[in-house]
Amino acid sequence: MNPFRFTPYLKSVIWGGEKIASLKNIKTDATDIGESWEISAVPGCETRVADGPDAGLTLTELIDRYREHLVGRKVWDQFQTSFPLLVKIIDARADLSVQVHPDDTLAADRHGCAGKTEMWYILDTEPGAKIYAGLSAELTPDTYRRAIHDNTIMSYIKAHDSAPGDTFFLPAGRVHAIGAGNLLLEIQQTSDITYRIYDYDRRDAAGRPRELHTEQAIDAIDYQVYPNYKSDPEPIAPGVDSLARCKYFDVRLHTVDTPTPVDYAPDSFVIVSCVSGHIGISTGSDSPIRVDCGETLLIPADRQQLILSGSGRAVTAFIP
């Protein structure tokens, strides 16, 4: 089974910019593109196979056709046709709202779905760009309510200068926001549950504020202050750094200049996103498939091997 390329699901939003189409070298009449959902099985926002004999199939339909041969036996047994990861490219022209996501237990109890743990890999930044992640001062549910009421919540949230190559791991419960001027790759659990806790008192064209989820967020927030919220890459092999690893995903950065085998967990698909230059993907004796910057491919679990070539950098993700 060959790797699969998908047509991205582009989302225009009020805070979106103009960088995604350029990064991906695609032509579109859409403006203010804030998100390109690269690989998605979220209902209503599913990506479809772009070419080949399965062209036009949604990701869910593709999994239903190939089952464990595509996703791996352990993934199939646990998730069936519900693909466990969602991959996005995000372009923030303006600040995104401050958010928090529930964990699996709370999300299942309230919404009947998975929670959301995610990670960000910064692709590009403008001068002064910030990432907001974690707490800089202690909060309690009561002080949180007062800070929302008084519009002082940002004084409790840690601001980080961001630069290309930075990585932020965001477990469920961590308060966070993407600041203006960031272009990033996001890998997360497949869940669209978000509690918006602050939106800078912005108003829409009719003068109405966006809905906040102040009370819902109280039970979701991790109120602990941690010493560090930016993840340091951990070298694990020549040209390979571990960016984020948890029970939901294992994400690595590969710097490619010679043909290099990729080490991965057995019995899992692999997602490959080219984040600079261009790479080639070979899954056996076949000729490499070229993947340019901004493109993402899904490698089936039944491939014989995975070799990256070319000249560039790639982020890979699989289920550990």
Side-chain angles (χ1 to χ4, degrees), residues 28-217:
T28 175
D29 294 330
T31 59
D32 301 327
I33 301 172
E35 298 183 353
S36 173
W37 291 29
E38 299 290 290
I39 294 182
S40 168
V42 175
C45 303
E46 288 200 62
T47 50
R48 294 179 179 271
V49 179
D51 48 30
D54 298 300
L57 292 183
T58 66
L59 178 54
T60 299
E61 292 168 340
L62 189 72
I63 297 171
D64 190 45
R65 174 171 291 184
Y66 295 110
R67 305 193 173 206
E68 68 272 14
H69 301 290
L70 176 62
V71 297
R73 169 55 65 182
K74 66 180 180 182
V75 176
W76 172 257
D77 288 345
Q78 182 176 358
F79 296 99
Q80 300 292 295
T81 57
S82 299
F83 194 70
L85 296 182
L86 171 59
V87 180
K88 303 178 184 178
I89 296 174
I90 297 177
D91 176 19
R93 177 181 51 82
D95 292 336
L96 275 66
S97 60
V98 179
Q99 308 173 353
V100 69
H101 306 302
D103 62 16
D104 287 343
T105 301
L106 186 59
D109 181 57
R110 289 183 176 177
H111 311 286
C113 67
K116 188 192 292 189
T117 286
E118 60 191 354
M119 62 83 63
W120 295 335
Y121 177 77
I122 308 299
L123 301 175
D124 194 19
T125 59
E126 295 180 1
K130 304 284 186 184
I131 288 291
Y132 302 93
L135 299 179
S136 58
E138 289 186 4
L139 268 180
T140 67
D142 287 339
T143 55
Y144 157 74
R145 285 190 181 98
R146 287 198 296 270
I148 295 296
H149 181 269
D150 297 338
N151 283 337
T152 59
I153 188 64
M154 295 305 292
S155 65
Y156 291 89
I157 300 173
K158 181 71 173 178
H160 310 263
D161 294 326
S162 59
D166 284 349
T167 302
F168 293 87
F169 176 62
L170 302 162
R174 182 161 295 172
V175 176
H176 61 272
I178 301 172
N182 282 290
L183 179 69
L184 58 84
L185 178 73
E186 177 179 273
I187 297 172
Q188 59 160 90
Q189 287 179 265
T190 294
S191 174
D192 209 23
I193 300 300
T194 294
Y195 297 149
R196 185 184 301 117
I197 65 176
Y198 185 65
D199 197 41
Y200 316 99
D201 201 29
R202 290 187 288 208
R203 308 280 166 153
D204 63 18
R208 296 168 300 198
R210 296 174 78 191
E211 180 184 6
L212 299 180
H213 309 99
T214 305
E215 292 302 313
Q216 296 97 316

